[in-house]
Amino acid sequence: MTPIDRFSGHADLYAQYRIDYPAELYDFILSGTAGRQAAWDCATGNGQVAGALAHSFSSVKATDISESQLARAIQHPNIQYQLSPAEQTPFADQTFDLVTVAQALHWFDVHAFHAEVRRVARPGATIAEWGYGLASLGADLDPILLDFYRNRVGPYWDPQRKHIDDAYTTLPFPFADAQRAEFIVQRTWSLERFLNYLRTWSAVRQYIHENEEDPVTELGRAIATHWHAVEREIRFPVFLRMGKVR
């Protein structure tokens, strides 16, 4: 299976406008992780998760298939970035106390990735996989955003997007002591900031590629009168599943 890369072409936008994750999520993961020697952040993108883990682990290995993403990644003395697919890495057996993958599992060959996790994780290590779904803007704008998501750019999503909508409940998770948790990321953004976030969606990039026009521009005009030229609270639902490697 050839790795799918939907983000190299707009790595600058991705680095600037994608959300980060709440401290509560990391606290939850670390509370279930015994060792603090080594962590692997898979599909690290711009390294935001690796950067957070670097404060708790002696060594963080962070991999991605996108050279342009890694070139823009957060730098920290504890982090070593490497170009590598999720399913076959250069790491030694039983290396890691924690393996993380954020908003990327649905792009993988999941069975092959989990086999690689079992190989490189130490006995009793933690595996944490998470993602986030469609943002909520409030009752006045949510129907407009949902229509854009499902209908305007809906045909341009890869089939794997359904796994985000399902919060990874239909993907296998062959690990012990499995548990799930939910979090909310709250941000206060200007309309311009939110529209640029939408331009990082893979479906929007594909729409632009095929139609040579930006669908976000029209959406911006449709919601501008509701935004009232001020910052607005946006809520992103985050789902997590976590378990132990036996």
Side-chain angles (χ1 to χ4, degrees), residues 23 58 94 151 173 187 194 220 229:
S58 300
Q94 298 187 7
N151 300 317
F173 193 67
R187 295 290 178 266
F194 178 67

Side-chain angles (χ1 to χ4, degrees), residues 4-66:
I4 299 172
D5 180 2
R6 292 288 185 266
F7 304 102
S8 287
H10 58 288
D12 284 333
L13 276 176
Y14 195 97
Q16 291 181 66
Y17 297 114
R18 280 290 174 128
I19 67 168
D20 53 6
Y21 302 104
E24 293 81 6
L25 179 144
Y26 294 109
D27 290 344
F28 185 87
I29 293 170
L30 292 174
S31 71
T33 304
R36 292 290 190 278
Q37 284 299 112
W40 169 29
D41 182 41
C42 184
T44 194
N46 62 12
Q48 62 162 280
V49 173
L53 297 178
H55 299 290
S56 299
F57 289 83
S58 300
S59 171
V60 177
K61 307 294 186 184
T63 59
D64 206 281
I65 60 170
S66 170

Side-chain angles (χ1 to χ4, degrees), residues 54-246:
H55 299 290
S56 299
F57 289 83
S58 300
S59 171
V60 177
K61 307 294 186 184
T63 59
D64 206 281
I65 60 170
S66 170
E67 290 188 69
S68 58
Q69 288 270 32
L70 293 179
R72 294 161 176 82
I74 296 165
Q75 297 300 306
H76 190 283
N78 292 3
I79 304 173
Q80 180 183 0
Y81 292 104
Q82 293 180 253
L83 195 68
S84 174
E87 300 86 357
Q88 188 173 12
T89 68
F91 306 129
D93 294 356
Q94 298 187 7
T95 295
F96 299 107
D97 303 296
L98 172 67
V99 178
T100 59
V101 54
Q103 196 69 359
L105 179 71
H106 50 293
W107 298 115
F108 299 170
D109 178 333
V110 176
H111 292 285
F113 169 64
H114 286 160
E116 185 69 351
V117 170
R118 288 191 293 270
R119 183 184 72 80
V120 302
R122 292 174 177 150
T126 298
I127 167 73
E129 303 171 342
W130 70 91
Y132 61 93
L134 185 64
S136 175
L137 303 175
D140 56 338
L141 291 182
D142 281 349
I144 299 173
L145 180 61
L146 184 61
D147 179 70
F148 178 81
Y149 176 77
R150 288 181 174 173
N151 300 317
R152 186 63 187 276
V153 301
Y156 298 87
W157 287 111
D158 287 275
Q160 293 91 333
R161 180 68 191 186
K162 67 181 180 180
H163 296 304
I164 291 290
D165 294 333
D166 293 338
Y168 290 171
T169 56
T170 59
L171 291 176
F173 193 67
F175 300 101
D177 304 330
Q179 54 184 314
R180 296 185 66 92
E182 296 179 351
F183 306 88
I184 295 292
V185 172
Q186 294 184 220
R187 295 290 178 266
T188 303
W189 284 353
S190 67
L191 176 58
E192 180 183 10
R193 174 71 174 77
F194 178 67
L195 296 180
N196 280 325
Y197 157 73
L198 295 182
R199 291 184 174 104
T200 71
W201 285 5
S202 61
V204 169
R205 307 316 301 180
Q206 188 63 26
Y207 184 104
I208 293 171
H209 173 73
E210 294 188 24
N211 298 283
E212 298 184 350
E213 66 174 20
D214 181 358
V216 173
T217 302
E218 182 179 339
L219 175 69
R221 288 194 291 265
I223 65 179
T225 55
H226 299 269
W227 214 280
H228 303 301
V230 296
E231 293 188 333
R232 185 182 183 104
E233 182 179 281
I234 304 168
R235 295 166 62 88
F236 295 86
V238 178
F239 55 87
L240 165 76
R241 61 184 193 175
M242 189 169 79
K244 293 290 186 181
V245 180
R246 300 297 192 206

